[in-house]
C-alpha cells in the first residue's frame, strides 16, 4: 500500500520501502541528517507542498515511476538512484557527490537556487533519457551516454560533456 509521512520526522538515517507510492502529504516534514533512501513501487513525491519542510543529508531514490522531490537545502544524491522520470528542486545546490549514480529512463529535471553539478567525479555513472536544467548559477553535467535536452533550460553558465551526441 502507499506510505504517507505526517507531522515532523527527524532521524539520522532513513530507509523507506513501500509497494505503493511514498509521499509526505500536506503536513509531512522530513529532517534526515544522513542518507535518506526511498524505494517505492509507485511514485515518490516529497516536499512538494508549501507547508513541507524537507531536508536530507544525502538522497537515494528507486522507483519504476516518477520521483518528485523538493528540498529546502542543498541536495546531494548518494548511491544508485534509478527512476523512470525525475523532477527535483533545491533552494541550494544539486550534486551527485563522489558516489552518486543517476539512471533516469525519461526526463530528468533539475531546478536549483545554486549550482547544479552532476557526473563530475570519476566514479559517477550518469544517464538521462533527456535533461532539463534551471539555475541562476552554473550547471555542470557530464553524462555517460548521449545528452538530449528537453523543454526549457535556463542557466547562468552551462558546462556539459558527453561521449556521444549533445542535442
Amino acid at each position: 500500500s502507499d506510505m504517507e509521512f505526517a507531522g515532523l520526522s527527524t532521524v539520522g538515517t532513513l530507509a523507506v520501502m513501500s509497494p505503493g507510492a511514498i509521499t509526505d502529504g500536506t503536513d509531512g516534514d522530513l529532517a534526515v541528517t544522513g542518507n535518506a533512501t526511498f524505494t517505492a513501487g509507485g511514485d515518490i513525491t516529497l516536499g512538494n507542498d508549501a507547508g513541507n519542510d524537507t531536508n536530507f543529508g544525502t538522497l537515494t531514490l528507486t522507483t519504476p515511476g516518477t520521483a518528485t522531490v523538493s528540498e529546502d537545502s542543498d541536495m546531494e544524491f548518494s548511491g544508485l538512484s534509478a527512476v523512470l522520470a525525475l523532477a527535483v528542486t533545491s533552494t541550494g545546490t544539486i550534486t551527485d557527490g563522489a558516489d552518486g549514480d543517476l539512471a533516469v529512463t525519461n526526463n530528468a529535471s533539475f531546478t536549483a537556487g545554486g549550482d547544479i553539478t552532476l557526473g563530475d567525479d570519476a566514479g559517477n555513472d550518469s544517464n538521462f533519457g533527456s535533461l532539463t536544467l534551471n539555475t541562476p548559477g552554473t550547471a555542470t553535467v557530464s553524462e555517460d551516454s548521449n545528452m538530449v535536452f528537453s523543454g526549457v533550460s535556463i542557466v547562468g553558465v552551462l558546462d556539459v560533456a558527453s561521449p556521444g551526441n549533445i542535442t
Side-chain angles (χ1 to χ4, degrees):
S1 65
D2 295 344
M3 174 176 281
E4 181 176 323
F5 287 92
L8 175 62
S9 297
T10 303
V11 295
T13 59
L14 180 67
V16 177
M17 296 181 70
S18 171
I22 298 173
T23 183
D24 57 3
T26 57
D27 69 342
D29 296 336
L30 296 170
V32 181
T33 56
N35 183 256
T37 300
F38 297 95
T39 304
D43 292 342
I44 299 170
T45 307
L46 302 168
N48 64 314
D49 289 304
N52 294 142
D53 188 15
T54 307
N55 296 284
F56 308 112
T58 57
L59 184 62
T60 307
L61 305 166
T62 304
T63 177
T66 299
T68 305
V69 179
S70 181
E71 189 167 350
D72 297 306
S73 56
D74 293 340
M75 180 180 291
E76 180 179 336
F77 288 93
S78 179
L80 173 62
S81 288
V83 300
L84 178 66
L86 181 66
V88 295
T89 302
S90 169
T91 59
T93 62
I94 298 175
T95 182
D96 55 5
D99 71 340
D101 296 332
L102 296 168
V104 182
T105 306
N106 293 335
N107 185 255
S109 175
F110 299 92
T111 301
D115 294 341
I116 299 170
T117 307
L118 303 169
D120 63 321
D121 290 302
N124 293 143
D125 189 15
S126 302
N127 293 286
F128 312 108
S130 62
L131 192 57
T132 306
L133 304 169
N134 289 288
T135 176
T138 300
T140 304
V141 179
S142 179
E143 186 169 351
D144 295 308
S145 56
N146 291 333
M147 184 177 292
V148 177
F149 284 93
S150 177
V152 177
S153 289
I154 301 172
V155 299
V157 176
L158 182 63
D159 180 9
V160 295
S162 168
N165 297 324
I166 298 174
T167 57

